[in-house]
Amino acid sequence: MASAAEQLAANMNMGTFAKATDLHKRLLFTLGALLVYRIGTYVPIPGINSAAFLAFFQNPDGQRGILDMFNMFSGGAVERMAVFALNVTPYISASIIVQLMGAVYPPWEKLKKEGGEQGRKQLNQYTRYLTVFLAVAQSLGIAAGLNAQPQLVDQPGLFFIISTVTCLTGGTMFLMWLGEQVTARGIGNGISLIIFAGIVAVLPGTLARLFGLAQQGQISAFTLLFIAAMAVAVVVFIVFMERAQRRLLIQYPKRQEGNRMTGGERSFMPLKVNTAGVIPAIFASSLLMLPTTVASMTANANLPEWLSWLPAVTAQLTHGQPVFMILYAALIIFFCFFYTSITFNPEETAENLRKYGGFLPGIRPGKRTAEYLDYVLTRLTVIGAAYITAVCLLPEFLVSQMGSTNLYFGGTSLLIVVSVTMDTVSQIQSQLLAHQYEGLIKKAKLRGRGGGRGGTPALRR
């Protein structure tokens, strides 16, 4: 027999959506925020020669492999050197550092576990402060690199560096605030949706360049069909793995309450195969982009002798290179286990089960339950880490075989797009279910009031 939630979901239609006015406001707010973000990616920073920079960025001889991914995440803002060129990368890097410190620094660990809502707000404030610092440092490196390049800046000098740092840092802070507003007043996670919008925005251009290479004969029609078939297969695989879960049976004992026997119910604890979601791929990409972005900007500048090794290192940290793929895989696996460990605590879950009388059949409550949960979760995380690593590295191998990075639209991009789409659709469905459930409650109350006095409220008035 279908549950109440399943029955409500089966009855949802366009009429239900039309009546959900609160959902309409949330969707319009989200679309408006993303529109503001897209407009900002076309506003160049003051003093930059946009045409000269675009030619420099698209130079096939330039070492800019890591900037392709940075440009993709920012929705093309890097190739236009817009005020949103840094996107939310400093915020993501700051979040990584704060979460790492929350696991190893005792005062922050206590604040996270025992501080409650106030502790969470305090850690968020630390994240904002660190975002400002990282944005200033990253934008300062970019400004210095641009200032050193001939013909890219109309009037190079100290004023250009200061204005560039101000614009790029301000753009990042505005996007951070915009993402928080979307999360609170819109639909979905605001930061994830901003990254999602940037990736989707550059997808048509990537496809156009791909078809252009096919028309020029640089890639065959078979290769084009193979890439399309692989993309579809990867999307299907991502959807399957994101929905895969291990369901642990939980039994509640029967209790005598007066003359009645209560309890004895059974439920399931769902453990996702990919508990960390898309976070490991985003974190790994951000950490790789953070040091190499500035290095890529200064690789062709007049470097002192003691920095002569920088271009060689930058060349190895580009897509398709073995060093890049090894570091990328290692970071993804690390963040899969790390993020899972901070989002799911086996000891705390086992203690909550014991408090409410629940237990896993055949497993003693308490320590043994915590050990079993950790055992199951570790093996699920191994599968999830292998899945994310395979999805993210498969396009890297293709890039290494094709020898071209200007078409980069990797597994990380597909993973983010599919995961964010699934999460947003799930939240929309939850909003519709809540609206439909509230409507049914109101109808039941009206019927109860009218039935007791022999008429409807309108007739009684």
Side-chain angles (χ1 to χ4, degrees):
M1 184 175 179
S3 64
E6 290 173 342
Q7 293 176 3
L8 285 174
N11 293 328
M12 282 195 305
N13 49 36
M14 291 303 296
T16 305
F17 177 79
K19 296 177 182 178
T21 55
D22 183 66
L23 178 60
H24 297 166
K25 295 178 181 178
R26 288 180 172 272
L27 287 174
L28 289 175
F29 182 84
T30 302
L31 293 175
L34 295 180
L35 179 61
V36 171
Y37 161 67
R38 288 302 302 153
I39 292 175
T41 60
Y42 286 89
V43 180
I45 60 175
I48 192 76
N49 188 332
S50 301
F53 181 81
L54 182 61
F56 167 78
F57 185 85
Q58 294 179 347
N59 181 14
D61 297 328
Q63 295 292 338
R64 59 176 181 84
I66 195 67
L67 290 182
D68 282 316
M69 192 172 188
F70 200 29
N71 184 59
M72 177 191 62
F73 281 160
S74 64
V78 172
E79 66 182 6
R80 293 183 287 270
M81 195 44 65
V83 293
F84 290 163
L86 288 183
N87 207 7
V88 292
T89 304
Y91 176 76
I92 295 173
S93 302
S95 301
I96 297 171
I97 296 173
V98 170
Q99 291 187 9
L100 285 171
M101 293 296 293
V104 299
Y105 185 53
W108 285 17
E109 184 179 6
K110 182 178 180 181
L111 196 64
K112 182 176 68 174
K113 292 182 177 180
E114 303 176 8
E117 182 65 20
Q118 188 62 31
R120 186 185 65 82
K121 290 181 179 179
Q122 189 66 38
L123 289 177
N124 286 341
Q125 197 64 22
Y126 292 154
T127 304
R128 296 187 184 100
Y129 293 150
L130 188 56
T131 300
V132 175
F133 173 78
L134 292 177
V136 169
Q138 198 167 352
S139 59
L140 183 61
I142 293 176
L146 291 173
N147 193 68
Q149 295 290 337
Q151 299 180 351
L152 293 186
V153 181
D154 294 332
Q155 295 180 353
L158 181 62
F159 181 76
F160 170 77
I161 294 178
I162 294 175
S163 63
T164 299
V165 170
T166 303
C167 290
L168 293 179
T169 303
T172 295
M173 300 309 297
F174 176 78
L175 287 181
M176 182 187 70
W177 173 83
L178 190 66
E180 292 177 350
Q181 294 301 310
V182 171
T183 302
R185 302 171 60 184
I187 288 290
N189 183 283
I191 299 297
S192 298
L193 282 173
I194 287 175
I195 299 175
F196 167 86
I199 295 173
V200 172
V202 300
L203 180 58
T206 302
L207 294 177
R209 288 194 295 271
L210 190 63
F211 283 112
L213 289 178
Q215 290 179 350
Q216 297 170 8
Q218 298 185 25
I219 59 175
S220 63
F222 176 79
T223 303
L224 191 64
L225 291 176
F226 174 77
I227 293 175
M230 187 196 69
V232 173
V234 169
V235 170
V236 173
F237 180 61
I238 292 173
V239 173
F240 173 77
M241 293 299 295
E242 290 297 322
R243 292 184 176 274
Q245 57 182 224
R246 169 76 183 276
R247 303 177 71 190
L248 298 180
L249 177 64
I250 300 177
Q251 180 73 45
Y252 291 92
K254 294 182 179 180
R255 297 188 301 271
Q256 182 77 30
E257 293 184 359
N259 296 328
R260 295 188 307 166
M261 291 292 294
T262 61
E265 299 94 353
R266 290 186 176 184
S267 63
F268 292 94
M269 178 189 298
L271 298 179
K272 293 185 63 176
V273 172
N274 181 26
T275 307
V278 74
I279 296 298
I282 296 177
F283 280 10
S285 302
S286 300
L287 281 188
L288 281 177
M289 285 191 293
L290 182 62
T292 54
T293 301
V294 177
S296 297
M297 293 297 299
T298 58
N300 296 324
N302 296 324
L303 298 174
E305 185 177 353
W306 61 276
L307 283 178
S308 59
W309 51 268
L310 186 60
V313 173
T314 305
Q316 290 299 316
L317 292 176
T318 56
H319 294 292
Q321 296 297 325
V323 175
F324 177 85
M325 289 189 284
I326 292 173
L327 290 176
Y328 197 22
L331 287 173
I332 289 175
I333 294 172
F334 168 76
F335 281 117
C336 279
F337 282 92
F338 171 75
Y339 199 76
T340 299
S341 67
I342 65 175
T343 55
F344 187 91
N345 190 329
E347 289 80 8
E348 183 179 348
T349 304
E351 181 64 21
N352 290 335
L353 282 176
R354 188 186 63 81
K355 286 181 180 180
Y356 291 101
F359 63 93
L360 301 175
I363 308 295
R364 286 185 178 181
K367 183 179 179 181
R368 295 288 295 175
T369 299
E371 292 175 351
Y372 180 74
L373 290 176
D374 183 68
Y375 172 85
V376 174
L377 192 64
T378 300
R379 279 147 183 78
L380 289 178
T381 306
V382 170
I383 300 175
Y387 139 68
I388 297 180
T389 305
V391 169
C392 293
L393 288 188
L394 180 60
E396 299 293 339
F397 287 109
L398 291 179
V399 168
S400 64
Q401 295 298 321
M402 294 175 60
S404 176
T405 60
N406 60 350
L407 294 173
Y408 186 75
F409 188 83
T412 306
S413 312
L414 287 176
L415 188 64
I416 293 173
V417 169
V418 176
S419 299
V420 173
T421 301
M422 292 174 61
D423 179 66
T424 306
V425 170
S426 177
Q427 291 199 29
I428 292 175
Q429 290 177 344
S430 299
Q431 291 278 342
L432 288 174
L433 282 173
H435 178 268
Q436 192 173 12
Y437 186 68
E438 291 175 359
L440 291 176
I441 292 177
K442 290 179 181 179
K443 288 181 180 179
K445 288 181 178 180
L446 289 175
R447 289 173 183 171
R449 292 173 183 174
R453 298 184 183 180
T456 64
L459 292 176
R460 288 201 308 271
R461 288 195 294 270

